[in-house]
Amino acid sequence: MPLMTGVYATQGPSPTLPQPQNQPQTHTVVNDQSVVEIAALYGITPQALRQANPELFQDKERRMEASMTGKGDPIFHGDELKIPAATMSVTEETIVTDFDPTHPTASSEYGVEVSDGSQRGGISWSPGNGSVKLTQGSTVPGPGGIEMRQDSEIEVKQQNKDGKTEFEVTAVFSVSGAAGAGNKSVDVEGSAGAGHRLRYKVVLPGENQNPQTAAKVNPFDPTTIPVGATVTLDSQNFTQTQFSAAFQKLFDDAFPKGPRLGVTADGENKVATGSAYSVTRTSETSVRVDIGALQAIEQKSGVLPSINFGPLSLDLGPGIQANKGHSVLRTAEFDLSKPDGQAAYAHFTATGEVAAQNDGVSNVATLERYNFSDQLRLNGEVSYEQGDTMARAYASFGGPQTTYGYVKTSYPDGSYSYTITPPMRGNDDPPLQVVCHYDAQGNEIASERTYEYNLKVPTDADAKTWNYMLTGDIKGNGPVQVGKDAKVTFTEAQMQALMKQTNITAHAEGTLPGNSAERLGEYKDPFQFGMTLGRILDSDPHRLTMDLFFVSDGADGSIANNDRARIDMTIE
């Protein structure tokens, strides 16, 4: 049943059911409703419901009567309960940020570099994100045998992502000092330095946008920003240390007449702090602005076995890159058609402060994001060195990547929500996000938890299967299309229902031992069950499709009768 354009659900919320509101309500108890059930209907915690009705829950006679009848709480049919306003974490839109303060290397990178001892320059290309990077540096002798190095780089990116066009320019400037030492067994070199990097990013709605459109954008003049576009600037100061150890002389002794064999181990650690500013044009008259501080830690390490044929050297070996980012951003949306909104926008961009109750201001929150990633890489290099002149060509191939983290959205009333991305071996588009809501006292409102899966649809059979599970149409007609991503969302109640259907299927008539439903049916906690579905989706989207189709087949207690049950979910 379509709920809105592009959104389908097997069973939408009934208009007669109460919904969470930002104003107090009343509720008349019916049948044998429990406090937990009533609280879930209104998006509040059972604790909040009890605190709002002390005259009922603290009445000794009522508590005794409830105990005598086997009830846990002293509420009865016909009682009128005061329902407090739901917290902002439930009633307001969950705001998140995808801003990443780290500067990770693309999934693959190819480049060349030439140096003559004191000057060096290079160019690299990353087809995965459409970037080209130019580097330039110089080296001069310093005191005590230390080399003083100056480096700069400019990187330009353009790529289509999630139906949008991203343009990005990054400039990095650094100064470092390097020194080395060696003996018969090993050559060691280390460096330490500091620098500054600037990043400017424009995201335009629609793919293959003209770069001239991005060039016309002024991040401090909202009228130049197209509706749906985002502009982000961040500035960072960083310190950097590098270390390398070359074990080549060991092998020179072992193979005095053959090609030289060696191993180089190196590592790099970069720590950055700075600030970020981002503005999104949300409508013709409104903009959303994010301002705040950031931290980033980036680490690289690797081992490169090498073979040297005179001046020519070949290197190939594994490495790992790990990144950790932390940002705390204040965010607010401003209606620039109102004088108060214009004044609040100017004050916020200048000071980072805003009053939540101002006319023309909405969606005020604080966004705290932690993001982590680590990636295995295969690094290769071919170099030629003659005297002070050296030329090299290199390639770095990205392997499996683990990404995870969370965004904490804090609202003015003290409530907050967590958008959690669990550890997955995925890509830039995480397969699962879980959104959890909390009141100002830190109590989770479990009934409002949601699970969002980013579904890949590799074949037409997968699309038809999902449509069948969603709509019940045996022909497989529905919103899911092959080759197009979809977002599948389960509420906490829907996840509990799916877990129950899975348990029934695991023991259904005609089900063979060791089936997928039996494995999934072992879970009793919806959160852990939902995590497992995410891991299956991450490793094999087709397997998740077949597992849930099997659950749909046996949820009525029998595999043989082909009477499949719909799975209650929402798909965009």
Side-chain angles (χ1 to χ4, degrees):
M1 177 180 67
L3 297 179
M4 59 187 75
T5 302
V7 181
Y8 292 76
T10 53
Q11 184 177 334
S14 168
T16 61
L17 286 179
Q19 298 295 312
Q21 301 291 330
N22 57 9
Q23 298 293 328
Q25 304 179 73
T26 60
H27 175 83
T28 301
V29 179
V30 297
N31 301 323
D32 293 321
Q33 283 184 314
S34 69
V35 168
V36 172
E37 292 170 339
I38 298 172
L41 290 173
Y42 294 93
I44 60 176
T45 62
Q47 299 95 313
L49 182 59
R50 295 187 183 100
Q51 292 172 2
N53 298 272
E55 71 282 0
L56 299 180
F57 289 92
Q58 296 179 14
D59 186 301
K60 292 183 178 179
E61 293 185 1
R62 295 177 63 90
R63 291 166 61 183
M64 183 177 297
E65 181 180 354
S67 178
M68 293 176 62
T69 57
K71 294 175 62 68
D73 288 294
I75 58 172
F76 304 95
H77 181 82
D79 283 344
E80 188 105 334
L81 295 178
K82 301 183 188 71
I83 306 297
T87 60
M88 292 184 73
S89 68
V90 172
T91 58
E92 297 294 311
E93 177 185 358
T94 300
I95 305 170
V96 297
T97 174
D98 60 0
F99 172 71
D100 182 358
T102 65
H103 288 243
T105 303
S107 57
S108 60
E109 184 178 19
Y110 313 92
V112 295
E113 184 180 79
V114 178
S115 66
D116 64 0
S118 62
Q119 302 292 325
R120 58 188 174 277
I123 184 172
S124 65
W125 173 52
S126 298
N129 60 3
S131 70
V132 176
K133 180 167 60 178
L134 301 176
T135 60
Q136 184 178 18
S138 62
T139 303
V140 296
I146 297 177
E147 290 184 341
M148 301 305 299
R149 298 175 178 175
Q150 292 183 331
D151 292 279
S152 62
E153 65 181 53
I154 298 291
E155 183 175 17
V156 180
K157 299 180 183 178
Q158 179 178 341
Q159 66 175 333
N160 293 321
K161 184 178 179 181
D162 299 330
K164 300 178 180 180
T165 308
E166 298 185 356
F167 302 92
E168 184 176 321
V169 179
T170 302
V172 182
F173 309 93
S174 64
V175 178
S176 61
N183 57 31
K184 184 178 179 180
S185 302
V186 60
D187 288 327
V188 177
E189 181 179 321
S191 67
H196 187 77
R197 59 189 181 189
L198 300 166
R199 177 167 49 187
Y200 179 71
K201 184 176 182 179
V202 178
V203 181
L204 300 176
E207 295 186 350
N208 301 314
Q209 293 283 8
N210 193 322
Q212 294 182 356
T213 305
K216 296 177 181 178
V217 171
N218 180 346
F220 302 104
D221 182 0
T223 62
T224 67
I225 304 174
V227 174
T230 299
V231 187
T232 302
L233 302 92
D234 71 85
S235 172
Q236 304 178 15
N237 295 315
F238 64 84
T239 59
Q240 178 176 284
T241 58
Q242 292 178 300
F243 172 85
S244 67
F247 302 89
Q248 181 167 290
K249 296 180 180 180
L250 289 172
F251 300 101
D252 287 348
D253 295 338
F255 303 95
K257 296 183 179 180
R260 290 179 296 158
L261 305 177
V263 175
T264 300
D266 56 26
E268 177 183 320
N269 186 72
K270 184 177 291 183
V271 179
T273 59
S275 59
Y277 168 84
S278 179
V279 57
T280 301
R281 185 82 175 270
T282 55
S283 71
E284 290 291 344
T285 59
S286 299
V287 294
R288 170 185 158 184
V289 181
D290 304 334
I291 297 177
L294 59 88
Q295 294 177 319
I297 298 176
E298 298 156 12
Q299 297 173 317
K300 298 178 183 178
S301 60
V303 177
L304 283 175
S306 63
I307 302 177
N308 297 275
F309 302 91
L312 185 65
S313 176
L314 303 176
D315 304 77
L316 182 66
I320 186 170
Q321 176 174 326
N323 302 295
K324 181 175 77 171
H326 177 213
S327 58
V328 180
L329 306 177
R330 287 278 288 166
T331 183
E333 190 165 342
F334 303 90
D335 186 346
L336 300 183
S337 67
K338 298 180 178 181
D340 287 348
Q342 298 174 15
Y345 165 75
H347 183 70
F348 186 58
T349 55
T351 67
E353 299 176 351
V354 64
Q357 303 302 321
N358 280 4
D359 188 30
V361 179
S362 60
N363 295 328
V364 178
T366 299
L367 308 176
E368 181 175 13
R369 179 184 179 185
Y370 283 92
N371 57 278
F372 308 87
S373 67
D374 61 75
Q375 183 180 39
L376 297 173
R377 307 187 69 85
L378 179 64
N379 303 309
E381 179 179 310
V382 178
S383 60
Y384 179 85
E385 187 172 358
Q386 189 71 45
D388 290 336
T389 301
M390 191 269 286
R392 70 187 186 101
Y394 60 90
S396 180
F397 305 95
Q401 184 179 46
T402 299
T403 58
Y404 54 103
Y406 67 84
V407 176
K408 179 182 179 182
T409 305
S410 301
Y411 301 92
D413 68 347
S415 64
Y416 54 93
S417 63
Y418 278 106
T419 301
I420 304 168
T421 304
M424 298 285 175
R425 286 281 177 185
N427 47 34
D428 292 338
D429 191 13
L432 170 62
Q433 287 189 329
V434 183
V435 183
C436 304
H437 302 264
Y438 297 80
D439 64 15
Q441 289 71 45
N443 301 306
E444 185 185 0
I445 307 170
S447 61
E448 299 300 304
R449 191 188 296 162
T450 57
Y451 307 79
E452 299 177 356
Y453 300 89
N454 289 317
L455 179 66
K456 307 294 182 181
V457 188
T459 69
D460 186 61
D462 288 309
K464 291 182 178 297
T465 301
W466 278 98
N467 286 326
Y468 183 81
M469 291 187 292
L470 175 69
T471 66
D473 183 351
I474 195 170
K475 296 181 180 179
N477 297 323
V480 182
Q481 300 180 33
V482 62
K484 293 187 177 181
D485 296 352
K487 184 173 74 174
V488 180
T489 302
F490 291 89
T491 66
E492 180 72 359
Q494 288 172 331
M495 187 60 71
Q496 290 180 357
L498 177 60
M499 193 169 64
K500 182 177 179 181
Q501 288 177 313
T502 304
N503 187 266
I504 294 174
T505 302
H507 303 90
E509 180 183 355
T511 301
L512 298 177
N515 61 82
S516 58
E518 188 174 72
R519 296 192 301 272
L520 292 172
E522 297 175 356
Y523 291 94
K524 306 301 179 185
D525 176 52
F527 186 85
Q528 294 300 326
F529 181 77
M531 294 295 106
T532 301
L533 296 184
R535 286 190 287 271
I536 295 174
L537 175 62
D538 187 41
S539 62
D540 187 352
H542 179 71
R543 177 188 158 192
L544 179 67
T545 302
M546 293 298 97
D547 284 351
L548 293 187
F549 186 69
F550 182 59
V551 170
S552 172
D553 193 13
D556 64 341
S558 174
I559 296 293
N561 60 14
N562 291 322
D563 187 11
R564 296 180 174 90
R566 294 181 180 181
I567 293 179
D568 191 7
M569 55 186 166
T570 301
I571 291 184
E572 279 185 63

